[in-house]
Amino acid sequence: MKSGSPSNRSMPNPNGDSIRIFDTTLRDGEQSPGCSMNLHEKLAIARQLEKLGVDVIEAGFPIASDGDFEAVQAIAKEIEGAIICGLARTGQKDVERAIQAVEAARHPRIHTFIATSDIHLKHKLRMSRVQVLAEVDRAVRQARSAIADVEFSAEDATRSDRDFLVEVFGVAVRAGATTLNVPDTVGYTTPGEYADLIRFLRERVEGADRVVFSVHCHDDLGLAVANSLAALQAGARQVECTVNGIGERAGNTSLEEVVMALKTRAEVFAGVDTKIVTQEIYPSSRLLSSITGVQVQPNKAIVGDNAFAHEAGIHQDGVLKAAITYEIMTPASIGRASNELVLGKHSGRHAFRDRLQELGFSVEGEEFERAFKRFKDLADAKKVIYNEDLEAIVADSVQQLDDRYRFQSLSLVCGSDGPPNARVVLEIDGQESAREASGVGPVDAIFRAIAELTATGSELIRYQVHAVTAGLDAQGEVSVTIEEAGRRVIGNGVHEDVMVASAKAYVHALNKLEWHKARRQASEPKGI
Ligand code: KIV
Ligand code: ZN
């Protein structure tokens, strides 16, 4: 099926040594189970991505739902320091909706795609190759008539016939595409094969020297980062990735891993570099985890809890003598200040705001007031306030602006002498309501009271607690996964009292469900 590879001669790269970081946390990332976010959460992530210095923010898939459209439009209006991209299939309505969503951006981009592998043509699209070529031409021209920056993706490129790919990309370039993306949609390729494909396309596609080649990998075989790096060595100059590597199935290329590999091994990658402010990597990772409730595995490269922890005595001894013995990069280089004491109960508004800014958070207005009050309450209850506490407080405060349910208070009676009893007060659509319930354990009692108050039809899928920092007085971070009508969401809550954190997490999850219900179109959301 594949024709022969081109020679290995090195081609000069018209795009120089700068690698564009295309972040798709808010689009492909948001497609991972439980990672859906509401408008305010998406805006908070977009602001952080701007600080992180990504070149492109793929803000969503505007035709998928009104919620997606609104989020892309809001991000396009607010974010000035990055290209704002909206995804569209090649259909006329898709492209039109994406144009409407991004046109207010200072730097808008349309990203249109269609599958090119025979497998997809036969079983999914039921289209001929000739029809696909016509679609590509039409969609790219439509996008180009409104927006100068147009990316075209050949979905499932790595399982597509190479000669057909050359034809498809040639049509896209003639129609005005400025970036050609070569997705490994099903995480199937290997580094050598992918690099070879990129070289082949750069040599054979007519007009290749006028466009940027982009790579987009999925991690089904655990090769997404390796494949992306190999493709960059073969001349690709844009890498599509997500914070914490979240994304469909096994996830996408992890932004932090690609960026730190390029930086740490600059000599191997012949000096290519990104504009990423690496000190913003850890704050970005933490913000995303706190907002989605999806924690990274402890041994995750760069941002996992253990990524810089030296356990073996011989390693600790080496690191104490000279960090270079076992440390190839410093925690500070990714913005990971270790558990330091940052503020106390006498710290004022000014110090609090400064410290949040140092941690990479810009929190204003009502959100700031709520965060500051939470900080003061926490400082009264807890002797030591760590950076992680502040990150948790911020995440807890940015998620509530247009929520239908607001947690007000909880009283709980429990112990060994009888069934626990919980009294929960919520504000629902602006009106206060209270309910008492008993249950098998205290969490059960709280959740029953909340379920009765909200008359939810959702099912509880998972309940998890972890301590934000070390110490008996640590805040508890609870995440609650619930599901209704096939929509799965994760809510989280943080508090020094784990029972209050549990109530908040459940209410947060219910708000997310409400947000999706309110914005769901008559038709079901269209996934990819
Ligand atoms: O994985 C994929 O092919 C995609 C495209 C829409 C770029 O996400
Ligand atoms: Zn993808």
Side-chain angles (χ1 to χ4, degrees), residues 3-154:
S3 66
S5 303
S7 68
N8 257 347
R9 79 180 161 77
S10 69
M11 287 175 64
N13 201 313
N15 312 117
D17 292 338
S18 178
I19 304 293
R20 291 185 190 176
I21 298 294
F22 176 115
D23 180 276
T24 183
T25 306
L26 295 174
R27 199 278 297 169
D28 221 337
E30 211 223 2
Q31 285 174 218
S32 38
C35 282
S36 60
M37 292 170 243
N38 68 29
L39 179 65
H40 296 290
E41 293 166 341
K42 285 185 180 179
L43 269 169
I45 296 286
R47 287 181 198 125
Q48 180 57 30
L49 291 173
E50 187 180 31
K51 267 204 200 115
L52 180 63
V54 305
D55 298 274
V56 186
I57 297 175
E58 185 163 57
F61 186 22
I63 193 90
S65 67
D66 288 347
D68 256 51
F69 179 86
E70 282 166 24
V72 177
Q73 199 172 48
I75 291 168
K77 283 185 182 152
E78 179 176 324
I79 303 294
E80 299 192 338
I83 295 170
I84 306 302
C85 176
L87 182 70
R89 290 168 300 191
T90 51
Q92 203 226 323
K93 285 220 173 79
D94 274 53
V95 177
E96 203 174 283
R97 195 86 173 127
I99 293 171
Q100 284 167 1
V102 298
E103 64 193 353
R106 181 175 277 216
H107 309 287
R109 174 181 291 191
I110 299 295
H111 176 191
T112 184
F113 74 99
I114 191 165
T116 50
S117 67
D118 288 335
I119 300 171
H120 278 235
L121 263 62
K122 182 171 170 208
H123 299 289
K124 185 180 86 174
L125 298 176
R126 305 215 163 94
M127 284 167 89
S128 68
R129 289 186 177 186
V130 173
Q131 286 173 310
V132 168
L133 291 172
E135 276 288 295
V136 174
D137 183 63
R138 206 206 49 72
V140 174
R141 281 182 200 281
Q142 183 191 350
R144 252 328 273 266
S145 67
I147 309 274
D149 185 348
V150 175
E151 171 168 338
F152 168 73
S153 282

Side-chain angles (χ1 to χ4, degrees), residues 21 52 94 128 149 257 263 371 391 404 472 500 511:
I21 298 294
L52 180 63
D94 274 53
S128 68
D149 185 348
E257 291 177 28
K263 197 175 171 70
E391 289 164 0
R404 175 153 191 233
L472 281 176
V500 176
N511 276 318

Side-chain angles (χ1 to χ4, degrees), residues 145-321:
S145 67
I147 309 274
D149 185 348
V150 175
E151 171 168 338
F152 168 73
S153 282
E155 191 190 5
D156 205 18
T158 50
R159 292 192 301 166
S160 301
D161 177 82
R162 285 187 171 198
D163 292 329
F164 182 53
L165 268 187
V166 169
E167 265 189 84
V168 169
F169 282 135
V171 167
V173 175
R174 279 194 296 283
T178 44
T179 300
L180 299 181
N181 185 36
V182 188
D184 182 30
T185 305
V186 291
Y188 180 69
T189 197
T190 60
E193 183 184 55
Y194 199 41
D196 188 58
L197 176 62
I198 299 297
R199 275 190 217 101
F200 174 84
L201 293 171
R202 288 186 62 220
E203 287 207 347
R204 302 282 172 92
V205 173
E206 220 181 295
D209 53 341
R210 301 198 301 273
V211 297
V212 173
F213 274 88
S214 167
V215 288
H216 176 114
C217 297
H218 282 267
D219 209 28
D220 300 66
L221 292 174
L223 292 173
V225 172
N227 289 336
S228 301
L229 291 170
L232 296 180
Q233 286 182 304
R237 283 295 174 268
Q238 174 175 285
V239 57
E240 306 200 350
C241 45
T242 59
V243 174
N244 295 344
I246 64 168
E248 278 279 347
R249 307 181 307 279
N252 286 61
T253 299
S254 138
L255 180 149
E256 54 279 5
E257 291 177 28
V258 165
V259 168
M260 291 314 286
L262 292 176
K263 197 175 171 70
T264 309
R265 300 307 312 278
E267 75 287 5
V268 172
F269 295 101
V272 297
D273 207 358
T274 69
K275 296 205 312 263
I276 293 296
V277 180
T278 59
Q279 292 76 6
E280 293 294 339
I281 284 180
Y282 192 62
S284 307
S285 164
R286 291 291 308 151
L287 181 66
L288 182 67
S289 290
S290 326
I291 283 180
T292 58
V294 177
Q295 303 296 325
V296 297
Q297 80 218 42
N299 61 331
K300 164 86 173 66
I302 320 290
V303 293
D305 277 357
N306 298 344
F308 292 89
H310 302 279
E311 193 70 25
I314 197 164
H315 287 205
Q316 288 176 352
D317 182 52
V319 169
L320 286 175
K321 286 178 177 144

